[in-house]
Amino acid sequence: MRDLIIGASAPDDGFAVVAGITTDLVRETQRRHGLSPTAAAAAGRLITGAALLGAGLKGALRISLQIAGDGPLRGLVAEAWLTDDERIGARAYAKSPQADLPLNQAGKFDVASAVGSGTLHVTKAYEEGQPYSGVVPLQSGEIAEDLAAYLLKSEQIPSVVALGVLADPTGVVAAGGAIAHVLPGADKRAVAALERRALAMPPITQLIAEGADAHALLHAFAGGAALRAHRTLDVSFSCRCTREKVETALAGLGADELRKMGRERPETEATCEFCKKIYVFTAAELAELVSLLKKA
Ligand code: ZN
């Protein structure tokens, strides 16, 4: 089943849905970061949520979801954006990728304990002007509920969010999610209907385990409502790092630190925290950066 995100609206019922399968995206995130099973579940849910929200970005360039928590994962970051060729690109990392916990009493990954309590910080970058930024306290640390709380409190959009990562000892088996939200101007009945649908739905992990594709998730979430305006987008792990951006980050360390690094070793490695790509700088290249700093 290939990764795919589909968006649609049910104008008669006053809501919109975006649903997607993100199995390869979550597998690639786990592979790049060597994530423990619990970390893969947490980062997998967050990057799936970012990709779903990224598919609905209107006018914004990029959405970034940052979780700061006091649990063993110490925090997670996921970003998604629409690429020039109309795909969703997404990337994520966990601050303590190897942190792991036993399954909880329900036999599921204990994402809530691994995340702990803290905040969810959402930013949206635009082509021009200031980025939008909103922060909400974490509701449960299970991530789906936290995203729903953010959408309600920060964007005033009542919504239902479901995110699921299925894994066995060999790794991620399947992943996906769906977000349904009330359309602007919809009345209280639309919100109530949305909540009833969410309660009547089987758990998303069960649908994914049964082999649901993005269409099946979309229709399960829409509960038989008439849908229109489908938007279908491919989604894949990608990174926005460049050597230039790494140089800018290195320059931020200051001339003294760069000189010290150049003296201590012939080559300095800088690793992108999102994709783990290694950028190598020779002592001569660091000296060049120092001379550019002096000119600036
Ligand atoms: Zn990168």
Side-chain angles (χ1 to χ4, degrees), residues 91 239-241 272-277 279:
R91 60 183 189 174
C239 198
R240 300 171 51 255
C241 64
C272 172
E273 60 190 354
F274 276 104
C275 72
K276 293 286 170 190
K277 181 171 174 175
Y279 292 87

Side-chain angles (χ1 to χ4, degrees), residues 5-287:
I5 292 182
I6 307 175
S9 64
D12 295 344
D13 297 82
F15 71 92
V17 193
V18 57
I21 293 293
T22 53
T23 307
D24 289 339
L25 175 66
V26 176
R27 272 190 193 138
E28 185 62 14
T29 309
Q30 181 177 37
R31 189 187 69 78
R32 285 187 187 247
H33 295 284
L35 298 173
S36 76
T38 313
R45 288 183 197 173
L46 194 67
I47 199 171
T48 298
L52 293 171
L53 291 173
L57 286 177
K58 286 193 185 76
L61 288 179
R62 190 169 65 251
I63 186 161
S64 168
L65 310 177
Q66 295 170 56
I67 286 181
D70 61 6
L73 290 174
R74 297 193 302 122
L76 303 148
V77 182
E79 287 187 5
W81 58 95
L82 192 63
T83 64
D84 292 339
D85 57 350
E86 293 275 302
R87 286 178 305 108
I88 298 292
R91 60 183 189 174
Y93 67 89
K95 291 200 174 137
S96 293
Q98 262 114 52
D100 205 10
L101 288 175
L103 298 178
N104 64 20
Q105 285 181 338
K108 299 197 184 285
F109 291 116
D110 196 354
V111 171
S113 302
V115 167
S117 48
T119 55
L120 168 64
H121 187 177
V122 179
T123 50
K124 289 184 194 175
Y126 296 90
E127 192 97 52
E128 286 173 22
Q130 289 293 312
Y132 168 88
S133 176
V135 187
V136 291
L138 292 174
Q139 296 296 300
S140 65
E142 293 283 359
I143 297 176
E145 289 168 39
D146 305 310
L147 280 184
Y150 157 77
L151 287 168
L152 182 64
K153 289 182 189 161
S154 216
E155 298 204 26
Q156 284 78 48
I157 303 173
S159 44
V160 178
V161 182
L163 304 167
V165 175
L166 273 177
D168 68 14
T170 66
V172 175
V173 176
I179 299 177
H181 66 84
V182 171
L183 288 169
D187 55 22
K188 281 200 176 109
R189 280 176 314 181
V191 180
L194 196 67
E195 281 165 358
R196 275 200 308 277
R197 279 202 187 89
L199 289 173
M201 251 190 78
I204 192 132
T205 42
Q206 184 186 326
L207 293 171
I208 296 169
E210 288 165 4
D213 61 8
H215 281 98
L217 290 184
L218 187 80
H219 288 288
F221 237 60
L227 294 174
R228 77 167 187 226
H230 280 255
R231 187 183 198 198
T232 303
L233 294 162
D234 284 313
V235 56
S236 56
F237 189 100
S238 43
C239 198
R240 300 171 51 255
C241 64
T242 59
R243 191 170 175 90
E244 238 174 11
K245 285 181 187 164
V246 178
E247 280 174 3
T248 307
L250 279 175
L253 298 173
D256 289 346
E257 183 63 25
L258 291 177
R259 272 197 215 94
K260 185 166 158 245
M261 285 156 66
R263 276 197 307 273
E264 281 171 357
R265 53 191 88 82
E267 286 185 338
T268 296
E269 289 186 350
T271 307
C272 172
E273 60 190 354
F274 276 104
C275 72
K276 293 286 170 190
K277 181 171 174 175
I278 296 167
Y279 292 87
V280 179
F281 292 84
T282 62
E285 284 168 333
L286 289 181

